[in-house]
Amino acid sequence: MSETEPGSTKEDFSDVHYLTENTVCGILSFCEEQGDYSALIRVVGRIFSSSEALTKSFRKDEPVAPKNRAPSEPTDVVEQEKQSAETAGASCAAPDEGLEEMLDPCEVTVDIGAVRRVYDRILSLDQVESALVNALVYLTPNMELDLEYLDVYETSPDYLNIFIIVLENGNLHSPEYLETALPQFCKAMSKLPVAALARLSRLWSRYGLAHIRRMTETFQQLITFTVVSNDYDGENLVNDDAAVVAATQCLKVAFYASILGGDVDVEHNEDEEEDAESDELTLHELLGEERLYKKGPPADPLETELGVRPVDSIRPLLPYEDFVNESLNEVVEMDKDFTFFKVNAETKFSFQSCPFILSVVTKNQGLYYDNRIRMYSERRLTALYSMVQGQQPNPFLKLKVRRDHIIDDALVRLEMISMENPSDLKKQLFVEFEGEQGVDEGGVSKEFFQLVLEEIFNPDIGMFSYDDDTKLFWFNSSSLENEAQYTLVGLVLGLAIYNNCILDVHFPMVVYRKLMGKKGTYLDLSDCHPSLFQSLKKLLEYGGNVEEDMMLTYQISHTDLFGNPMLHDLKEEGDQIPVTADNRQEFVDTYADYILNKSVERQFNAFRKGFLMVTKESPLKYLFRPEEVEMLICGSRKLDFEALEKTTEYDGGYSKDSQIVKDFWETIHSFGEEQKRLFLQFTTGTDRAPVGGLGKLKMIIAKNGSDTDRLPTSHTCFNALLLPEYSSKDKLRERLLKAITYAKGFGML
């Protein structure tokens, strides 16, 4: 067949040099008449094993021949595209618009509709499936060489067509492909240059939810299949498994497609403070440790090429959880992965370079190693300085505070450290209360955090306002406190992450989004100012005459520290500018910007400054999304008391077989959600579980005397419950409920 003719002049179709929908339909008709599909199998196997032939196949500019169509198929081009969307079924989801219009931002020459219709017809034939598998096995090593050594994509961008066509195969996740063909194909795909991967990601983002889900499930299936089929250990790391690594890199394309296809806000970014460059060598550089302490990892190349970050996503097409692979998380060794991430990034693959595939628990382990290594490094530097200068070494961040002046003492000490030697903030925290004996093994630091936060968030101080409905705190725009107090709060949050301590902090999510570099927008009002959000939402949805019925202007009213009403013009002479149907979106955006950003700019900038003093050089911003940062600081809302029961330890004569202990757990499990949270608050100082769940919490139940009318007490800094041996289960329940319900002011030590 000549390359422009739809039909073949030879019965064995040896003159078919590329495929079109018409060609496949013609061969199928011939095979059906003969009752033998061997001709189709030979052609499919030959074309799909040749990169040159596959690149030329299924072009958009091919003529449509109605004679090769089934009678039911439409000949109109628009109708063809609609048929394409319908026949794709569960495998893909194309919008109703014509595909050419849909793909315009990342134009490709493949006729996707034709590819999908062809797959629908030929994949039902088992022998064709085998031919496709064998062809891929033959094709992919050559593709890998083409991409790695010949830079074929740079000279021929249509080379991407091969990947587009192959990945439209809805059976790629089946066992026939998982063994050899798909792993080899993923290796070849991972060799594509960043520009090609970005085109593919944009393309998928326009195909819709179901298509991205299929791509995600295909790569996840390969990762899981490979992981469960192998035994990994310290010598045989999953990081060295080429199939898992390649599939993870391919999954990244689907991850960013999910972000691009959802709701994205690439604007509204907080201003980043840039550090002044210094020509002087640091001590880390002199010791050859600069790679461990470089300022965070570089931006992901695909992320840069696409111009979008995970933090820019308002709502992705697929939930983030769908990209986490639990099987992989169970076998990845984070201590070694961290080394690859920090030191051997050029030669070794680290899964932290694809953080979307890791769970919060796994990423937290990576952050833990980063923090600990920094602590040990600061100890080494301190020892070196003390030897050179003849001073007593101080390997810890020591805070000596008075209980009745805890804010003043902490503020002065931390302010001095941040000015004189900020690197001391990277040392392990060691707190001492003046006049009290005790070694800080974590409990004293936890108590310090609790006391500082309790005082700072006291509504009487006025640094933060409290919403009784949402039970959340927000920055008080008219606070009289200086910026140093807000810097202290940010420092405390940073130190808590750095020292792996859960805090009882109640901020709306927008605070964590702002810490990660995004400004607050109208949608963020929903959780921190819900009544205002509902009012603005009604304004946007109002169908009547906005100007006459609402009578709003660009002048708004809010209250100051003492509850007095204050007026503020969102624009110059705002009281003279009416809100109309035409400008109401601008009014809403400006209003939200004032409430969430401009009105609290001074307070928040000081708060963020303190937070970054501790976390700026850590991979926190790279690894974690805002909701995950909240979990690191405040813990998880999911409470599994069964897991807590399994890990609880006993002291003072109690054991898990003691009757009082059995009664205690039966009582706890019978509590409602709110009562369980009260118990957790009473015992640990927070109503959240640590990252990884309550099973990670080391709770102790200790005997506190025989039967008595005294209430149970707790040492929140040690997660210890002091429980008298009550004479009955009913008495235990009554005493425990009273203790946790009226705990404020007594019982918590």
Side-chain angles (χ1 to χ4, degrees), residues 180-191:
T180 307
L182 187 57
Q184 287 188 1
F185 182 79
C186 287
K187 289 175 197 173
M189 181 173 160
S190 67
K191 303 293 183 185

Side-chain angles (χ1 to χ4, degrees), residues 664-719:
F664 168 80
W665 285 115
E666 287 176 11
T667 302
I668 290 293
H669 294 315
S670 71
F671 281 173
E673 185 72 16
E674 186 59 33
Q675 291 173 327
K676 286 179 177 177
R677 292 196 180 279
L678 285 173
F679 168 75
L680 209 56
Q681 179 83 43
F682 175 77
T683 312
T684 68
T686 176
D687 63 356
R688 304 272 192 98
V691 175
L694 286 179
K696 300 288 184 182
L697 188 69
K698 295 178 181 177
M699 193 176 85
I700 301 169
I701 298 179
K703 186 174 181 178
N704 191 24
S706 55
D707 184 35
T708 178
D709 288 335
R710 285 185 292 113
L711 297 175
T713 54
S714 64
H715 290 294
T716 53
C717 51
F718 295 109
N719 303 328

Side-chain angles (χ1 to χ4, degrees), residues 395-428:
F396 299 102
L397 169 59
K398 284 193 174 181
L399 292 181
K400 189 171 184 178
V401 294
R402 297 167 292 175
R403 281 187 181 272
D404 50 352
H405 295 85
I406 192 166
I407 297 295
D408 295 336
D409 291 355
L411 189 61
V412 169
R413 180 76 181 118
L414 289 171
E415 202 166 16
M416 285 177 60
I417 291 170
S418 62
M419 290 170 59
E420 294 175 3
N421 192 10
S423 63
D424 277 5
L425 295 171
K426 309 292 194 306
K427 295 177 179 177
Q428 187 174 349

Side-chain angles (χ1 to χ4, degrees), residues 115-127:
V115 174
R116 291 172 178 171
R117 289 190 291 271
V118 166
Y119 272 127
D120 282 344
R121 296 197 66 179
I122 68 174
L123 285 180
S124 58
L125 306 171
D126 292 340
Q127 292 165 305

